Structure formats: C-alpha cells, structure tokens
Amino acid sequence: MAEEPQDIDLLARVEHGGKAASGALETLYIRYAQRFFSFLRKRGLNKEDAEEVIQKTFVNLMTRNLNTSSIQNARAYLWRCLRYAWQDHLRANSTDPGSFAENPMDEESVLGLLDRLSNEDAPVDDMLGLRDCLGRMWAQFSEEHEERATALYLAVVEGWSREDLAEFLERSYGATREFLSQCRKRFVEAFSKMCPDYVPGGHAAAGR
C-alpha cells in the first residue's frame, strides 16, 4: 500500500501547478478543513463565515506564489495561512462574527484546558455549569487576548509541540516557551476571576 504524501509534498505540487495541483489541494482540504472549521467556530465565527474563511485559505494557496523551499513546517504554514485569512475576514467585516455560546467547547477540551493549565483535577459534578462559564470566559479571553487564546488552543486542544508553535507564531523556541507560560498565567487569572465556583480545590490563585 502506497504511503500517503506528506503535507510538504502536496504543497510542492500546488506550487508547481498543473493537474497535480488540484488533486493536492483537495487532499489538503480533506486533511485540514474540518479541523479549521472546528477551530474557527470555537473562536466565535458562525458557520457561514467559518466556511468562507476556509475557502479563502485554500484559494490563497492556489493564487499566491508558494515557495516550499522556505517552509520549515508544512502544518504550521497551513495553519498560519488560515490565521491570515481569518484576520483578513475580521478586518473586512464589521458584522458580529457570532456567539461563542452557540458552539461551546466540548467536554474533553474543557477538562483538558483546566487540567493542563491549572495543574489541578477539573471538577466534573456540574459540567453544564462549568462549560457555560468557561464558554463565556473563553469568549472574553479570546477577544482581549487573541494571540494568547490561539496559542493555548493549538497547544492544549490540538496538542501542538513547542517547535510547531514557534513556527506558527514566528517566534524563537525560547520566546514561544515564555509566551506560553504567560498565556497559562493569564488564562488561570481570567478563569479564577470569572468562574470562582469552578476553580479546582478553590485555590487556583491568579497568576499561579
């Protein structure tokens, strides 16, 4: 059985154009579209806007000059393309991007964020209340700290490595590590302030 082509190989086919480019783009779409959609919905975009941003992301891959020799990490590059298309969309549209509460974070994401960012066992006896509070808190946190929220989502929910995040954020490894530490502190501070009833053990002190 033939091995699946790597992302960088698919991007190279897109770069070279021709018939192979369309098939390569379709494969990349199948691999990433659903993950992109989930990411954008959890960041507040409604269904139609999320689909529009994803479409724009892949159109840009076809219409802009690719230089795969300069791409160190294909996955991070694709996510960065999404990030740019998303930011362009927000700048171009003055309408409300949609309510985060309409698409709250799933239970696994809630528990993962709390467990890994607060270093405590997440409470589970009132999951509906926790999800609602975290959803409201995350919406506010995302609005006030867009880059921090994006980095946390990719690190905790998507499971990205520090190396991948450094490529995505266009920072050095050391700077990315420090940035994530500050993201964690800001998240814990915001969660402790807005959802005190759900702070694990009642002692997740701000900035801990």
Side-chain angles (χ1 to χ4, degrees):
M1 182 177 179
E3 292 185 3
E4 289 290 322
Q6 299 294 312
D7 291 342
I8 191 63
D9 298 325
L10 293 170
L11 286 172
R13 294 176 192 177
V14 175
E15 177 184 8
H16 295 147
K19 293 182 179 180
S22 296
L25 195 69
E26 181 179 359
T27 300
L28 288 169
Y29 182 90
I30 292 172
R31 287 183 183 178
Y32 285 92
Q34 186 56 48
R35 296 171 69 181
F36 286 171
F37 181 80
S38 178
F39 171 78
L40 292 171
R41 290 289 282 135
K42 289 173 180 177
R43 294 307 309 280
L45 266 66
N46 60 38
K47 180 177 181 293
E48 291 74 20
D49 286 346
E51 290 173 345
E52 179 181 330
V53 170
I54 294 169
Q55 181 180 26
K56 182 66 173 177
T57 300
F58 286 96
V59 168
N60 287 343
L61 284 175
M62 287 290 289
T63 58
R64 295 181 179 176
N65 292 328
L66 269 175
N67 181 14
T68 53
S69 63
S70 66
I71 298 175
Q72 299 181 19
N73 185 303
R75 180 176 66 166
Y77 175 81
L78 288 164
W79 277 89
R80 195 160 64 244
C81 288
L82 175 75
R83 179 186 180 187
Y84 294 154
W86 171 38
Q87 291 174 337
D88 287 345
H89 173 84
L90 293 179
R91 282 192 291 265
N93 293 272
S94 59
T95 56
D96 182 358
S99 171
F100 182 90
E102 294 175 358
N103 188 54
M105 299 182 77
D106 56 55
E107 190 167 304
E108 180 181 356
S109 299
V110 171
L111 294 175
L113 281 167
L114 292 179
D115 184 47
R116 294 181 62 183
L117 295 177
S118 68
N119 289 330
E120 298 283 354
D121 293 328
V124 296
D125 54 339
D126 184 14
M127 182 57 65
L128 289 178
L130 172 61
R131 290 176 64 184
D132 177 69
C133 191
L134 183 57
R136 288 183 284 108
M137 169 261 165
W138 184 258
Q140 181 175 326
F141 185 81
S142 298
E143 182 178 350
E144 297 176 355
H145 307 284
E146 179 268 322
E147 190 173 40
R148 295 181 191 277
T150 300
L152 286 176
Y153 179 90
L154 294 175
V156 178
V157 180
E158 288 288 332
W160 279 34
S161 68
R162 298 292 185 270
E163 290 83 358
D164 285 356
L165 280 168
E167 172 72 13
F168 173 77
L169 295 170
E170 299 178 318
R171 298 169 182 250
S172 69
Y173 179 88
T176 298
R177 189 174 181 181
E178 175 61 25
F179 179 68
L180 285 175
S181 176
Q182 294 301 317
C183 289
R184 173 189 175 278
K185 291 179 180 179
R186 291 293 182 91
F187 177 91
V188 173
E189 288 175 357
F191 180 75
S192 299
K193 181 178 179 180
M194 192 165 183
C195 306
D197 292 342
Y198 299 98
V199 172
H203 55 78
R208 182 162 58 90

